[in-house]
């Protein structure tokens, strides 16, 4: 299977710098959900070199101010899934930038501990992860 992030269509790119680019997520958890990815195929954060990590964090600032203007969210969850057991399905690093809006869930306590459970699993909408008995 081809890597979707090695073959990003140019028109999907909303921001870029030397080694990273940003696109809108194809399965947005919330309006404005963006992804920041290295231009070269590297599977995870810890295998990126310092320059690539720096470019990703620089782009995070740029994308955040762009989303602030376009979507006017009240907050953000930012993070990545590392490894299959953590839910990583595409083995090309991607940083999720998820705008949050007052009232998008009834109780946002916990943040990335839950993100938005009923929308987190795009393969099985409505499925809320539970600890197996
Ligand atoms: Zn790739």
């Amino acid at each position: 299977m081809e890597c979707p992030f090695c073959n990003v269509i140019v028109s999907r790119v909303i921001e870029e710098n030397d080694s990273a680019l940003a696109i809108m997520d194809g399965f947005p958890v919330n309006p404005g959900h963006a992804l920041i990815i290295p231009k070269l195929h590297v599977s995870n954060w810890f295998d990126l070199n310092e320059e690539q990590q720096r470019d990703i964090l620089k782009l995070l600032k740029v994308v955040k101010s762009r989303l602030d203007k376009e979507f006017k969210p009240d907050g953000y969850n930012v993070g990545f899934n590392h490894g299959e057991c953590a839910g990583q399905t595409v083995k090309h690093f991607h940083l999720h930038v998820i705008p949050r809006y007052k009232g998008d869930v009834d109780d946002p306590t916990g943040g990335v501990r839950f993100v938005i459970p009923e929308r987190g699993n795009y393969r099985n909408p409505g499925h809320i992860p539970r600890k197996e008995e």
Side-chain angles (χ1 to χ4, degrees):
M1 212 176 84
E2 281 193 355
C3 174
F5 297 153
C6 284
N7 299 283
V8 170
I9 300 162
V10 177
S11 63
R12 284 190 72 192
V13 176
I14 58 165
E15 297 287 351
E16 69 176 308
N17 58 24
D18 288 348
S19 73
L21 55 84
I23 59 173
M24 301 309 286
D25 192 288
F27 303 91
V29 164
N30 252 355
H33 182 172
L35 300 175
I36 300 173
I37 61 187
K39 288 181 178 175
L40 295 178
H41 186 97
V42 178
S43 67
N44 72 77
W45 176 260
F46 306 99
D47 288 341
L48 291 162
N49 65 38
E50 282 182 18
E51 190 192 338
Q52 291 168 317
Q53 291 180 339
R54 207 166 32 243
D55 277 353
I56 287 167
L57 294 177
K58 276 188 203 162
L59 212 49
L60 173 60
K61 267 193 154 175
V62 174
V63 167
K64 192 258 184 200
S65 44
R66 183 189 176 105
L67 297 177
D68 280 346
K69 284 191 204 103
E70 280 183 33
F71 294 91
K72 301 184 174 31
D74 301 299
Y76 288 91
N77 292 111
V78 176
F80 57 81
N81 302 323
H82 176 78
E84 235 169 275
C85 70
Q88 183 177 9
T89 53
V90 178
K91 305 286 178 284
H92 182 143
F93 176 81
H94 47 292
L95 184 69
H96 290 270
V97 185
I98 303 174
R100 296 300 303 272
Y101 303 91
K102 279 180 190 138
D104 61 6
V105 294
D106 58 357
D107 180 2
T109 305
V112 292
R113 287 166 169 270
F114 298 99
V115 193
I116 300 181
E118 63 276 7
R119 280 181 261 161
N121 187 336
Y122 64 88
R123 286 179 174 157
N124 186 6
H127 175 78
I128 296 170
R130 294 176 206 285
K131 188 173 169 60
E132 282 181 49
E133 300 293 320

